[in-house]
């Protein structure tokens, strides 16, 4: 009886979700309230967790709670610790949530809110959460080894080395694009620049506090840090309104790019307790707090979605990023739907703390569903803006012209009616001189968040406060990613350099440290600077490269997962990982192909390179280049982008070949050949 | 839980447990696992070795989390 009631309950819940989704998808004419989107998303995610997540756990992977996890077998109280599932859920979610799921959906909103919503929901259920969970499972069964190690062991040394190269390349492009997001958000903004700069001394104070004054007191130091952060937002407003101080914190994109490069270098060679660790504490707590706060605020305010469900830009002619719905929507929204980077996290510290295999569904699958929910909230914040404001903020200056009048005229011509007064007033409300061409996603999200939070806590000047709070929130964890990521890149490069000169591998060696850090910073700094001077606004060029890289890594992880399923003799469930793997291979290869060979210079790197080199050969100048040298430089940059894109495609193809070879070999053997740690009963291991 | 002491005591115990869980979650989110569990483990499994003090434990975890940089997500 209860069984039938239970089933009826789920049917009713599914119908409710379907009805919400129908409202979101089918209503035309009047704006749809965001609450429908929230309900549709929650219903889809909960049902996916209950049914598909459970199917993968029990049938496809055959999770075995009686099997001792690495945390039980190797418990040392430090790295390997059996941990309460909800505590570990928090740890895992904090590690996977970053800027990606916030920026991608904002950029994707140029096609309307519907394509992005559908891809986030379908992508997370069938690809993203599956990847995170299966890799977490594989790593848990292999003593918590990393993705690169596991690929090396299961697919061979060559595949492992290719994967490592791919991981280094994605690291470089990730740091460049995140750096660009911050540069774009802080350019010409004394308030934002002051506030973000203030986080450096604040973090250093916390570092000293936790090391010398009150060692290890995280809560105290973080509370002091948070209070100081809020003071710095307020002080930023004072600075911005004082002409002399404002001038001291007023920088253009190029200056900020150089500052970011210098910062990345210094921050990653400083001792970790001094800057990196304390700022990571701040950014982690601020991130979780803000996500929870934003969810509550959206439910409280229930904004209308001003953006149409689908805009005319699905044909690929949009100003924010170029290229058609397929494949570029699936590249633009990487992290919220499926993110290869999570495969690195799922094979990092989390598998070493899983207390029972039965927790893998909650942490791996459930953690990623929460990330998708964050992406949906970012999409809501962007779609709740007036479309005219959205396009004013995200279109390149070359399209909008320099004034609110020219921008309003251009945007109204696309069918999104907006007046110059609204554009000017919005800038005034958020305490900035202009909102035109504030590309990169972060400022748009900040305005969206500010409008929503302002409806909860309003007051004179509060809109500007919330805007800069949101900018700070994003910049803070991006900067943490930049110095932590530069360190990761540095050690990868030191490993590579070690093959040339053994001394350079020594992590204590100052020469090795400085050379490797310099190379890493130069790598991402190059792409960052190129993005800042890019004629199309940089994000247009770098974000697709980053998306391709991230999906490439996901494809790698899922190809590996397919090979493991075959090696485990679980061929009949192969479709669970083969379906998303195939889709991601298709997306990354099509997108790489188009980025390379598309005849439209806005899409194809080679076409754009030829455009500039041909014009240079005729002695002409194309904007924004002002000299022949700059023309050559832009052509060269495009060739470099093309080479990177080709590299990503080649990495996917090589891994695919090795995956198929490993699978065929496993099929010829009648026994399971997956290299798992031997079974130990959980009952025999004391905790 | 003490049934006889139901009422305010019960709520207080619940609130304490909730706070402990929240604290533990927040600390692990920045890479510091529970020190009490470590102590229990160290004393039970390695009684001959002096366990790390909290300060040493904290420094050890900080170095483990950030020493080689940390693959953070995008």
């Amino acid at each position: 009886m209860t069984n039938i009631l239970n089933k009826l309950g789920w049917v009713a819940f599914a119908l409710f979700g379907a009805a919400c989704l129908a409202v979101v998808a089918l209503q035309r004419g009047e704006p749809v309230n965001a609450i429908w989107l929230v309900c549709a998303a929650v219903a889809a995610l909960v049902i996916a967790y209950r049914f598909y997540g459970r199917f993968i756990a029990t049938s496809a992977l055959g999770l075995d709670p009686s099997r001792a996890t690495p945390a039980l077998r190797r418990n040392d109280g430090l790295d390997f610790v059996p941990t309460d599932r909800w505590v570990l859920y928090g740890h895992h979610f904090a590690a996977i949530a970053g800027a990606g799921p916030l920026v991608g959906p904002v950029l994707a909103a140029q096609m309307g809110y519907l394509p992005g919503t559908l891809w986030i929901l379908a992508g997370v259920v069938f690809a993203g959460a599956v990847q995170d969970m299966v890799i977490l499972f594989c790593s848990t069964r292999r003593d918590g080894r990393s993705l690169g190690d596991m690929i090396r062991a299961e697919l061979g040394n060559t595949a492992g080395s290719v994967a490592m190269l791919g991981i280094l390349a994605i690291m470089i492009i990730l740091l460049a694009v995140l750096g660009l997001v911050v540069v774009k958000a802080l350019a010409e903004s004394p308030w934002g620049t002051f506030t973000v700069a203030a986080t450096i001394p604040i973090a250093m104070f916390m570092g000293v506090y936790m090391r010398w004054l009150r060692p290890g007191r995280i809560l105290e130091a973080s509370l002091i840090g948070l209070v100081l952060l809020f003071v710095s937002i307020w002080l930023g407003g004072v600075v911005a309104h004082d002409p002399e101080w404002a001038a001291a914190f007023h920088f253009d994109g190029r200056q900020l790019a150089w500052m970011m490069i210098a910062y990345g270098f210094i921050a990653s060679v400083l001792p970790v307790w001094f800057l990196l660790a304390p700022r990571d504490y701040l950014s982690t707590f601020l991130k979780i707090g803000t996500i929870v706060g934003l969810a509550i605020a959206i439910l409280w305010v229930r904004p209308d979605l001003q953006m149409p469900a689908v805009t005319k830009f699905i044909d690929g002619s949009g100003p924010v990023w170029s290229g058609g719905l397929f494949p570029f929507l699936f590249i633009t929204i990487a992290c919220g739907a499926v993110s290869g980077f999570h495969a690195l996290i799922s094979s990092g510290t989390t598998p070493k703390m899983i207390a029972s295999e039965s927790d893998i569904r909650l942490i791996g699958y459930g953690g990623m569903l929460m990330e998708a929910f964050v992406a949906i909230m970012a999409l809501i914040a962007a779609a709740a803006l007036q479309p005219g404001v959205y396009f004013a903020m995200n279109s390149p200056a070359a399209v909008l012209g320099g004034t609110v009048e020219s921008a309003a005229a251009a945007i109204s011509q696309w069918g999104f009616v907006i007046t110059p007064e609204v554009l000017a007033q919005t800038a005034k409300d958020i305490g900035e001189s202009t909102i035109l061409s504030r590309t990169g996603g972060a400022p748009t999200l900040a305005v969206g968040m500010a409008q929503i939070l302002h409806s909860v806590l309003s007051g004179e000047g509060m809109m500007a406060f919330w805007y800069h709070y949101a900018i700070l929130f994003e910049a803070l964890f991006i900067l943490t990613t930049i110095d932590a990521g530069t360190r990761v890149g540095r050690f990868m490069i030191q490993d590579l350099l070690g093959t040339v000169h053994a001394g350079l591998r020594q992590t204590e060696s100052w020469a090795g440290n400085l050379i490797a850090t310099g190379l890493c910073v130069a790598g991402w700094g190059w792409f960052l600077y190129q993005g800042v001077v890019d004629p199309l606004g940089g994000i247009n060029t770098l974000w697709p490269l980053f998306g391709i890289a991230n999906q490439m890594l996901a494809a790698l992880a899922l190809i590996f997962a397919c090979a493991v399923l075959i090696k485990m003799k679980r061929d009949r469930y192969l479709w669970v990982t083969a379906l998303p793997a195939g889709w991601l291979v298709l997306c990354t290869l099509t997108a790489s192909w188009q980025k390379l060979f598309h005849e439209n210079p806005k899409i194809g790197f080679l076409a754009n390179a030829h455009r500039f080199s041909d014009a240079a050969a005729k002695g002409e100048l194309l904007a924004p280049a002002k000299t022949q040298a700059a023309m050559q430089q832009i052509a060269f940059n495009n060739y470099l982008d093309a080479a990177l894109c080709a590299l990503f495609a080649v990495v996917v193809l090589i891994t695919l070949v090795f995956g198929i070879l490993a699978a065929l070999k496993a099929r010829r053997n009648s026994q399971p050949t997956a290299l798992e740690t031997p079974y130990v009963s959980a009952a025999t291991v004391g905790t | 839980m003490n049934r006889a002491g139901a009422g305010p005591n019960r709520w207080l115990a619940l609130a304490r447990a909730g706070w402990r869980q929240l604290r533990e979650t927040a600390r692990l989110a920045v890479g510091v696992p529970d020190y009490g569990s470590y102590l229990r483990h160290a004393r039970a499994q390695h009684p001959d070795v002096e366990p790390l003090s909290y300060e040493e434990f904290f420094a050890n975890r900080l170095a483990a989390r950030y020493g080689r940089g940390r693959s953070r997500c995008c």
Side-chain angles (χ1 to χ4, degrees):
Chain A
M1 186 64 194
T2 48
N3 196 14
I4 293 174
L5 275 180
N6 190 354
K7 278 189 180 140
L8 279 177
W10 280 105
V11 169
F13 188 60
L15 287 174
F16 163 73
C20 294
L21 199 57
V23 171
V24 170
L26 302 176
Q27 189 155 345
R28 291 289 185 275
E30 322 169 21
V32 173
N33 193 283
I35 204 79
W36 294 104
L37 216 163
V38 171
C39 290
V42 169
L45 299 180
V46 168
I47 289 170
Y49 179 75
R50 167 65 177 72
F51 292 98
Y52 194 49
R54 183 144 102 169
F55 165 77
I56 297 174
T58 53
S59 302
L61 299 180
L63 297 184
D64 181 359
S66 81
R67 191 185 183 113
T69 57
L72 289 178
R73 280 187 288 105
R74 303 182 54 175
N75 186 353
D76 59 5
L78 296 167
D79 291 311
F80 292 88
V81 191
T83 305
D84 175 86
R85 60 208 305 239
W86 289 106
V87 172
L88 190 54
Y89 183 90
H91 167 82
H92 186 71
F93 178 70
I96 64 173
L102 298 172
V103 173
V106 171
L107 300 180
Q110 81 159 341
M111 291 192 168
Y113 61 81
L114 191 59
T117 302
L118 294 180
W119 164 235
I120 290 170
L121 294 180
V124 73
V125 169
F126 294 107
V130 176
Q131 174 207 246
D132 290 19
M133 177 176 176
V134 176
I135 297 299
L136 180 58
F137 163 79
C138 290
S139 183
T140 307
R141 286 256 171 120
R142 285 164 184 73
D143 268 347
R145 290 168 72 193
S146 70
L147 180 70
D149 274 357
M150 292 195 294
I151 290 183
R152 197 178 293 275
E154 300 280 357
L155 304 187
N157 277 331
T158 316
S161 304
V162 169
M164 289 307 288
L165 185 69
I167 291 172
L168 181 61
I170 183 186
M171 208 74 212
I172 301 278
I173 202 75
L174 165 78
L175 296 176
V177 77
L178 289 183
L180 185 62
V181 168
V182 173
V183 166
K184 290 276 171 189
L186 300 186
E188 329 282 342
S189 167
W191 190 333
T193 307
F194 172 85
T195 313
V196 172
T199 64
I200 297 171
I202 292 174
M204 286 175 170
F205 171 73
M206 285 171 64
V208 169
Y209 186 93
M210 280 187 291
R211 189 166 181 93
W212 307 114
L213 302 178
R214 301 264 294 160
R217 308 294 161 150
I218 301 173
L219 181 68
E220 285 171 25
S222 301
L223 283 178
I224 295 174
L226 281 176
V227 170
L228 290 175
L229 274 190
F230 278 94
V231 172
S232 77
I233 300 177
W234 167 78
L235 208 56
V238 178
V239 164
H241 288 107
D242 181 289
E244 241 169 78
W245 279 104
F249 285 94
H250 185 279
F251 300 104
D252 66 15
R254 286 163 206 252
Q255 292 168 312
L256 283 167
W258 281 114
M259 288 156 78
M260 186 78 81
I261 290 166
Y263 165 81
F265 186 88
I266 295 168
S268 60
V269 290
L270 284 178
V272 289
W273 61 264
F274 190 40
L275 177 60
L276 175 54
R279 224 208 0 236
D280 184 38
Y281 297 173
L282 270 186
S283 73
T284 302
F285 298 141
L286 198 67
K287 177 168 71 186
I288 303 290
T290 306
I291 286 172
V292 172
L294 185 62
I296 295 171
I298 286 178
L299 291 177
W300 180 270
V301 178
R302 296 185 298 279
D304 277 337
L305 303 178
Q306 310 281 346
M307 185 68 81
V310 178
T311 70
K312 63 171 185 167
F313 295 133
I314 52 169
D315 63 0
S317 64
V320 184
W321 44 275
S322 317
L325 184 96
F326 178 81
F328 288 106
L329 174 76
F330 308 99
I331 295 297
T332 303
I333 302 188
C335 302
V338 49
S339 167
F341 234 84
H342 294 187
L344 303 182
I345 311 287
S346 296
S347 59
T349 49
T350 309
K352 298 181 178 129
M353 292 186 279
I354 296 258
S356 159
E357 282 196 1
S358 56
D359 296 348
I360 287 178
R361 173 164 67 127
L362 173 74
I363 293 155
Y365 201 86
M368 181 61 196
L369 295 184
M370 187 56 90
E371 167 114 326
F373 187 71
V374 173
I376 291 282
M377 292 201 297
L379 190 66
I380 289 174
L385 290 175
Q386 277 194 50
V389 171
Y390 172 85
F391 284 106
M393 298 193 72
N394 288 291
S395 306
V399 182
L400 294 181
T403 64
V404 282
E405 286 77 17
S406 64
I411 295 163
S412 297
Q413 212 171 29
W414 298 333
F416 304 102
V417 178
I418 189 94
T419 61
E421 292 74 34
V422 173
L423 296 178
Q425 185 59 40
T426 309
K428 195 160 171 273
D429 286 345
I430 59 166
E432 292 286 308
S433 55
T434 174
I435 59 163
L436 300 185
S437 304
R438 305 304 285 260
T439 56
T444 311
L445 180 68
V447 174
M449 280 173 63
Q451 284 195 352
I452 292 168
L453 294 172
H454 184 252
S455 306
V456 180
L457 274 177
S458 53
E460 180 72 26
M462 280 307 277
M463 183 81 180
F465 181 88
W466 286 122
Y467 171 82
H468 290 97
Y469 170 82
I471 289 286
L472 175 70
F473 144 79
E474 293 172 90
L476 194 59
F477 59 76
I478 287 180
L479 288 184
T480 313
T481 303
I482 284 180
D483 46 25
T486 303
R487 285 182 79 89
V488 175
R490 165 196 146 192
F491 285 108
M492 281 182 176
I493 293 171
Q494 272 195 282
D495 272 349
L496 284 175
L497 289 177
T499 56
V500 185
H501 184 286
L504 295 176
R505 187 175 284 154
Q506 300 298 322
T507 50
E508 307 302 321
S509 138
W510 269 99
N513 179 349
L514 293 179
I515 293 173
T517 307
L519 282 175
C520 184
V521 173
W524 62 257
W526 175 281
F527 286 99
L528 166 64
Y529 193 78
Q530 173 197 329
V532 170
V533 297
D534 184 279
L536 290 169
I539 289 292
N540 228 317
T541 308
L542 284 183
W543 191 263
L545 262 182
F546 161 64
I548 291 173
N550 203 4
Q551 306 297 56
M552 166 210 73
L553 194 53
L556 244 62
L558 283 163
I559 290 170
F560 159 78
C562 288
V564 168
L565 280 182
I566 291 175
K567 287 182 145 200
M568 291 173 78
K569 293 288 166 201
R570 293 188 162 270
D571 305 37
R572 52 184 291 225
Y573 300 109
L574 181 63
W575 58 270
V576 169
T577 51
L579 199 78
W583 173 249
L584 288 174
V585 169
L586 188 69
C587 282
T588 44
L589 291 186
T590 317
S592 312
W593 182 266
Q594 292 195 10
K595 288 309 289 181
L596 281 172
F597 301 117
H598 204 286
E599 70 273 13
N600 181 350
K602 282 185 178 169
I603 302 176
F605 288 132
L606 293 178
N608 203 26
H610 292 151
R611 194 167 85 93
F612 276 88
S613 55
D614 290 352
K618 287 187 220 144
E620 295 167 11
L621 286 178
L622 298 177
K626 295 192 178 74
T627 61
Q628 280 298 324
M631 294 286 288
Q632 299 293 352
Q633 185 68 47
I634 292 176
F636 175 77
N637 287 345
N638 274 281
Y639 283 122
L640 194 67
D641 292 340
L644 201 60
C645 211
L647 172 76
F648 293 146
V650 168
V651 167
V652 171
L653 286 172
I654 292 180
T655 312
L656 188 61
V657 169
F658 279 100
I660 291 172
L661 288 179
L664 289 177
K665 193 173 166 206
R667 298 266 301 187
R668 285 196 294 273
N669 197 326
S670 60
Q671 297 298 314
T673 48
L675 302 170
E676 297 180 339
T677 327
Y679 177 92
V680 174
S681 165
T684 62
V685 189
T687 50
Chain B
M1 201 162 295
N2 186 1
R3 282 272 160 202
N9 281 341
R10 184 151 173 263
W11 288 113
L12 205 65
L14 263 179
R16 276 213 190 101
W19 169 246
R20 255 203 313 278
Q21 176 105 354
L22 195 67
R23 213 176 87 112
E24 210 183 307
T25 308
R27 295 173 66 88
L28 190 63
V30 293
V32 182
D34 186 39
Y35 180 62
S37 304
Y38 161 77
L39 268 190
R40 274 193 300 282
H41 168 86
R43 289 202 177 118
Q45 303 294 325
H46 315 281
D48 45 328
V49 185
E50 181 67 19
L52 301 177
S53 70
Y54 173 70
E55 284 73 17
E56 289 164 342
F57 174 80
F58 177 76
N60 173 302
R61 288 299 83 200
L62 194 124
R65 182 175 167 91
Y66 305 101
R68 288 188 65 87
R70 204 165 79 78
S71 273
R72 289 176 51 89
C73 210
C74 29

